[in-house]
Amino acid sequence: MTTAAQQLAKYGLNVDVAREWIAANLGSPKTVFDICKAGGLNSSMIAEILNPLAPGLSSTAVESFFTGSGLDGSALRPAPISSGEDKAELIPDDLGQLNWLISMNASVGNLSTTSLHNAVLAELGDSTSYNEMFNPDNYAGSEDGVFTGAELGVNGLGSFAATNANLESLYYGTLINTLKSLDSGEVTELYQFIKANQAGLESGSSAVEDQLVDMLFAAIQDPAYPAALSDAQVASIIVDATVATAQIVGGTDGVFENAFGNLLG
């Protein structure tokens, strides 16, 4: 799936320049519509470009804006993915079984979605790959603008709008719940495994990485009383894992699956 940055690069432009231009010309919707359409920028790309100014902006909202201005907003709708190009799975099957961990983020302070969002972007320096991680158009089930628990394979998870903001909240809420479920004995065991297998992890050994992920999933099967990690430690781990995921993966694969792979990196 082509990103806004990739499409703009064809014309020697970048996302920041496009964002400034669109924002400056929103009073002339037809001008923005015509230029974007001619340049191959669909509604999903426009939402991606404007996300820092309007967090959670969806492609549907972009199309509605132009339709409300007397234009054919559907003309900017992304082409459907062909049968040979599958969308990524948002929630991997093994995580879906741990349904009590999967929830929107209700935390405040340094674990709030806004705080974590800002901390990650401060490390990345560029929001493009980060925004693409939470682009709902990349994930199966988003086609009708709504994710359901049944589509995601998570028992008890209600339906919610397929927006960047909701995916971001679900992501952070789930990772916070996961790390808060570790007690001191489990943290020690994981640390000792990482220390003993550092060479394998650094070389990218799939066997060692798979074993580490299996250990993590076993550790989070039940709540911790008390949790071993402080809010500051949880925030630091999540920021590091998210930066690594954005740098390596972007929007090309399941955000949760890869985040868990980087969680203890």
Side-chain angles (χ1 to χ4, degrees):
M1 180 178 293
T2 303
T3 66
Q6 292 168 336
Q7 186 66 22
L8 289 167
K10 297 177 182 179
Y11 305 98
L13 302 173
N14 61 44
V15 171
D16 291 336
V17 169
R19 183 183 305 117
E20 291 177 5
W21 184 84
I22 292 174
N25 288 276
L26 283 178
S28 303
K30 188 175 187 306
T31 298
V32 176
F33 179 90
D34 289 343
I35 293 295
C36 288
K37 190 171 185 298
L41 292 173
N42 60 40
S43 58
S44 178
M45 295 176 185
I46 297 171
E48 175 189 338
I49 291 169
L50 295 177
N51 186 265
L53 300 178
L57 181 68
S58 67
S59 57
T60 302
V62 171
E63 293 169 21
S64 296
F65 168 77
F66 288 113
T67 298
S69 300
L71 303 164
D72 181 11
S74 65
L76 295 177
R77 188 165 300 161
I81 293 178
S82 66
S83 58
E85 186 181 358
D86 295 330
K87 289 189 176 185
E89 180 183 32
L90 179 62
I91 306 290
D93 290 340
D94 45 7
L95 179 58
Q97 298 170 15
L98 305 174
N99 56 80
W100 63 91
L101 294 173
I102 303 173
S103 70
M104 296 293 181
N105 186 16
S107 300
V108 297
N110 59 353
L111 289 180
S112 70
T113 297
T114 299
S115 179
L116 293 168
H117 172 111
N118 292 338
V120 171
L121 290 189
E123 293 287 334
L124 284 173
D126 180 10
S127 63
T128 302
S129 60
Y130 180 87
N131 292 337
E132 194 64 12
M133 283 173 57
F134 302 108
N135 181 350
D137 292 335
N138 290 335
Y139 301 106
S142 65
E143 294 79 7
D144 60 355
V146 176
F147 284 114
T148 68
E151 288 171 336
L152 301 180
V154 182
N155 294 331
L157 182 65
S159 300
F160 59 93
T163 65
N164 292 66
N166 280 341
L167 290 189
E168 193 178 14
S169 178
L170 189 71
Y171 169 86
Y172 285 126
T174 301
L175 293 193
I176 290 168
N177 292 341
T178 298
L179 291 173
K180 288 286 190 179
S181 72
L182 296 173
D183 61 35
S184 58
E186 291 164 340
V187 170
T188 299
E189 183 180 5
L190 288 165
Y191 172 76
Q192 290 174 341
F193 178 86
I194 292 170
K195 186 176 181 181
N197 294 275
Q198 186 172 358
L201 291 169
E202 290 178 350
S203 66
S205 167
S206 59
V208 175
E209 290 177 351
D210 289 345
Q211 189 174 351
L212 177 58
V213 172
D214 287 343
M215 290 179 64
L216 174 60
F217 273 80
I220 60 180
Q221 290 287 338
D222 50 20
Y225 299 108
L229 302 173
S230 68
D231 285 1
Q233 289 172 315
V234 169
S236 177
I237 293 170
I238 289 176
V239 168
D240 288 346
T242 304
V243 168
T245 300
Q247 290 174 332
I248 297 171
V249 178
T252 63
D253 207 344
V255 60
F256 281 94
E257 184 170 7
N258 287 284
F260 272 86
N262 291 315
L263 200 60
L264 298 176

